[in-house]
Structures are given as C-alpha cells and as structure tokens.
Amino acid sequence: GIQVEQSPPDLILQEGANSTLRCNFSDSVNNLQWFHQNPWGQLINLFYIPSGTKQNGRLSATTVATERYSLLYISSSQTTDSGVYFCAVASNFGNEKLTFGTGTRLTIIP
Amino acid sequence: NAGVMQNPRHLVRRRGQEARLRCSPMKGHSHVYWYRQLPEEGLKFMVYLQKENIIDESGMPKERFSAEFPKEGPSILRIQQVVRGDSAAYFCASSIQETQYFGPGTRLLVL
C-alpha cells in the first residue's frame, strides 16, 4: 500500500514563529488532506489539496503531485496551533479510504 | 448544519463485554469511514460503508469486529468480547465526494 512520511516528527517553536511541515507519499494520489488534531483529540480539516496551492488565513498548503510531496505552512504561530498535524492520502478513485502519516507534533511556547 | 456525530464519547468496558459505537454522518452524506487511533499513533483505516453496503473492510480485524450502515439510522461499529488491546480512539468520517469530515471520536477503555 501507499506509504506516507511526515517530517519533522516534533517541532517546538516560540509564539510568532513560522513553520513548514512536510508530507512525502510513495505513489500518485487523488486525495490529500491536512488535519490538525488538537490537544482534546478532535480532528479538524485544514485543507483538501491533491494538487496546487491553497491559503486560509495564517495557514497555506502546497502539493506537488508529480514529486509526491505536500507542504503545510503556518505563519505567526499562536499557542492554539499546538497539537498534531496529520497528512492523509488516498490513491484509488471511488474508494477514498485515507492512509495517514505518523504526524508532526507542534508545540508553541508563549 | 450539524457535523459528524459520534456517541458515546467515552466508553468503558470490561474484558469480554461488547462495545457498540455509533456514528451519524453529516446531512446528505452517504459514505461513512471508520478509523482507529491507538495511543501516540496515527489513524488506521478500518472499514468503508455506503448505505446498506460494506465497500471495503480490508482494515477490520477478522474476528470480533463488525460494522453496518443501515438504510435508516446511524452507522454502528460493534466489537464483541473486547480485549485490552481494543482500547483506542475510534473515529468516524463521512463524505459526499472527496473531502472527509471527522467526528469527535469515541474513546474506548477496556479494563
């Protein structure tokens, strides 16, 4: 099956800093989503981005499908950005079951 | 427009008991996925259902686990004769096209 690797595994930053999270995948995909799992365990949709670039406030994401990677950018970090960020992909049209990466744990220090 | 609902949010069972987890998809969504998250790990796919049909159950353990999504009512994930290793967070997601929206999860603890 498809493999998904995320880096770095852990990231500790001061409030206000910027960060880049990376997701590499081993095969072509038709679905790629970024999620934020907050400290209470809830999974929040950030982006559906199988290709191209999207922005939403302080967050943006870019997927280069031909090179099999995606990047999530967080600017001007806030303490509420803390949590685990997951990249998840699907590679079969008609069956969108997601394969998750192991996540990046982000801690923002005030 | 309510999101994906799961209940109960927390469930405690003793070894050998049954656990029933319920998932109500977003209004208009006909696709339901179940995922399991073990402590300190990512989510793992279990089963994909459409109304009254199991489409893909390749991630389901072969024994003790079953899932259904009836024509009326929520999707149910059923775990019979639970063991300590079943302790995990179980998430349900629903979709109408590609984007999956996740519920808050059910945290199962087996004593």
Side-chain angles (χ1 to χ4, degrees):
Chain A
I2 193 165
Q3 305 296 315
V4 183
E5 293 183 356
Q6 290 186 245
S7 60
D10 293 279
L11 190 55
I12 301 173
L13 296 172
Q14 206 77 35
E15 198 169 21
N18 302 330
S19 58
T20 301
L21 283 58
R22 187 177 179 101
C23 171
N24 292 333
F25 42 94
S26 61
D27 204 347
S28 56
V29 298
N30 57 282
N31 185 342
L32 189 148
Q33 292 184 242
W34 282 97
F35 297 91
H36 174 212
Q37 187 166 38
N38 65 22
W40 295 270
Q42 291 183 303
L43 275 165
I44 299 160
N45 286 68
L46 297 177
F47 295 103
Y48 166 75
I49 187 165
S51 64
T53 297
K54 290 185 177 179
Q55 179 154 9
N56 184 3
R58 296 182 296 104
L59 273 60
S60 63
T62 296
T63 297
V64 184
T66 52
E67 296 187 23
R68 300 183 182 169
Y69 72 88
S70 183
L71 301 173
L72 178 69
Y73 305 97
I74 305 173
S75 63
S76 305
S77 299
Q78 300 176 359
T79 55
T80 51
D81 295 332
S82 295
V84 182
Y85 289 81
F86 288 107
C87 164
V89 304
S91 57
N92 293 302
F93 285 101
N95 181 347
E96 301 292 330
K97 66 180 181 183
L98 293 172
T99 299
F100 280 74
T102 49
T104 292
R105 182 175 298 277
L106 177 64
T107 304
I108 304 298
I109 300 171
Chain B
N1 188 12
V4 179
M5 316 247 322
Q6 289 188 249
N7 65 81
R9 296 289 302 275
H10 299 273
L11 184 61
V12 180
R13 286 287 179 265
R14 296 195 180 278
R15 281 178 295 168
Q17 292 184 318
E18 178 180 287
R20 292 172 72 90
L21 287 60
R22 286 176 289 278
C23 169
S24 296
M26 289 178 71
K27 188 176 180 180
H29 288 196
S30 57
H31 302 235
V32 166
Y33 301 80
W34 285 93
Y35 296 84
R36 176 164 67 174
Q37 185 177 31
L38 294 171
E40 302 300 320
E41 293 189 12
L43 281 75
K44 297 281 195 296
F45 166 79
M46 298 181 74
V47 62
Y48 165 35
L49 309 103
Q50 295 180 17
K51 280 287 187 181
E52 299 186 274
N53 289 305
I54 296 175
I55 307 302
D56 183 341
E57 57 182 347
S58 59
M60 287 273 273
K62 294 288 184 282
E63 298 177 348
R64 302 187 297 107
F65 285 71
S66 62
E68 62 177 8
F69 188 16
K71 187 176 180 182
E72 302 292 337
S75 176
I76 306 286
L77 179 68
R78 183 182 178 207
I79 311 172
Q80 296 178 287
Q81 299 176 325
V82 296
V83 300
R84 288 207 174 121
D86 296 333
S87 295
Y90 292 83
F91 289 92
C92 160
S94 74
S95 72
I96 194 166
Q97 290 183 335
E98 297 87 2
T99 303
Q100 292 185 28
Y101 296 91
F102 281 75
T106 293
R107 272 115 189 119
L108 173 65
L109 175 62
V110 179
L111 301 177

